[in-house]
Amino acid sequence: MSEPLPTPATTVDPAAAALMARRFRGYLPVAIDVETGGFNVATDALLEIAFVLIDMDSDGTLRRGATHDFHVKPFDGARLDPVSLSVTGIDPWHPLRPALPERDALQRVFREVRHGVRAYNCRRAILVGHNAAFDLAFINAAVVRADVKRNPFHPFSCFDTATLAGAALGQTVLAKAITVAGLEWDAGSAHSARYDAERSADLFCLVCNRLRDSHRCAEERARALGWVSEAGVSAADEPPLDAELL
């Protein structure tokens, strides 16, 4: 049975914010997809970046929130693999392509993500992606290359929807996982950062929503162990972000 795609939330309910802050131990999941000029984070260009905020309703249901996406200019000396470009269909030098320098694109992404982190009373963001290590590695490399400060994302932890889908649905390919989950997949829109980020967000929300009962049982056990207070996550092992990061 097909499950309807969610619609973005315009405001954050205080009850939802409290639940989100507890759900992932103070981390706000944000779905990200990048399109690149190859597979080497040190040499190959970052060409597109899209991110999708994950929202939560007051009953704890996760749903896809707002999407933002940017075209990115190849950095000086960047490698552009023709095979990768043929897969994505990106022409980095098209005169009508509204591309931003890496630094500008990342700063815009991070600014919006920090707003989400603050709205949900979280410590910082955590990347959600399909084969998420790839996306996180490219973002981290671009952050260093462009000397971008105040990165709201955890530097190495992430939620990989390929892993989640493999465990929950028996499929690790994004298109197949979306299809067996009962959601629509448009092959013609694939390999667009925006489309892939939105489908990854949908998949993450679907799997997590199906695991709500499991999470509630685990949270009760964590509370009994003194790891979680009635007010939220104690997280003595993970101090809050510096004030400037928020």
Side-chain angles (χ1 to χ4, degrees), residues 114 149-150 241-246:
R114 285 195 298 271
K149 308 298 184 184
R150 303 174 68 206
L241 288 174
D242 293 338
E244 68 172 26
L245 198 54
L246 296 174

Side-chain angles (χ1 to χ4, degrees), residues 34 39 67 97 113 117 128 152 156 165 181 183-185 192 216 239:
V34 300
F39 297 103
T67 302
R97 184 171 181 262
V113 171
V117 168
V128 173
F156 54 84
L183 302 176
E184 294 183 2
W185 177 262
S192 154
R216 286 167 182 156

Side-chain angles (χ1 to χ4, degrees), residues 129-132 158-172 203 207:
H130 207 75
N131 300 310
C158 53
F159 287 121
D160 182 13
T161 53
T163 302
L164 291 173
L169 304 170
Q171 300 292 336
T172 57
L203 187 56
V207 173

Side-chain angles (χ1 to χ4, degrees), residues 45-220:
L46 173 63
L47 298 175
E48 287 185 8
I49 181 170
F51 70 99
V52 182
L53 298 172
I54 304 296
D55 285 329
M56 180 175 277
D57 292 332
S58 58
D59 66 351
T61 301
L62 292 173
R63 56 195 179 101
R64 170 159 48 97
T67 302
H68 302 265
D69 63 310
F70 303 99
H71 295 283
V72 184
K73 293 180 180 178
F75 63 89
D76 290 343
R79 176 176 175 269
L80 295 165
D81 183 354
V83 176
S84 293
L85 298 182
S86 69
V87 171
T88 63
I90 297 173
D91 177 0
W93 311 118
H94 194 286
L96 299 180
R97 184 171 181 262
L100 298 171
E102 279 187 337
R103 181 179 177 84
D104 291 350
L106 289 172
Q107 286 178 327
R108 294 188 188 198
V109 170
F110 292 170
R111 182 171 58 247
E112 293 299 324
V113 171
R114 285 195 298 271
H115 290 330
V117 168
R118 184 164 51 235
Y120 277 107
N121 296 321
C122 290
R123 287 181 183 77
R124 71 187 320 162
I126 186 167
L127 187 146
V128 173
H130 207 75
N131 300 310
F134 176 88
D135 303 277
L136 183 58
F138 262 91
I139 289 175
N140 284 342
V143 164
V144 173
R145 189 165 50 237
D147 192 27
V148 176
K149 308 298 184 184
R150 303 174 68 206
N151 181 352
F153 285 95
H154 194 290
F156 54 84
S157 291
C158 53
F159 287 121
D160 182 13
T161 53
T163 302
L164 291 173
L169 304 170
Q171 300 292 336
T172 57
V173 175
L174 182 59
K176 291 185 176 180
I178 288 291
T179 301
V180 299
L183 302 176
E184 294 183 2
W185 177 262
D186 178 10
S189 298
H191 300 298
S192 154
R194 182 184 185 94
Y195 186 79
D196 289 357
E198 290 183 338
R199 295 293 82 75
S200 297
D202 289 334
L203 187 56
F204 177 77
C205 292
L206 182 145
V207 173
C208 288
N209 288 338
R210 291 183 179 179
L211 290 173
R212 274 188 296 176
D213 289 343
S214 175
H215 171 258
R216 286 167 182 156
C217 290
E219 190 176 45
E220 288 176 6

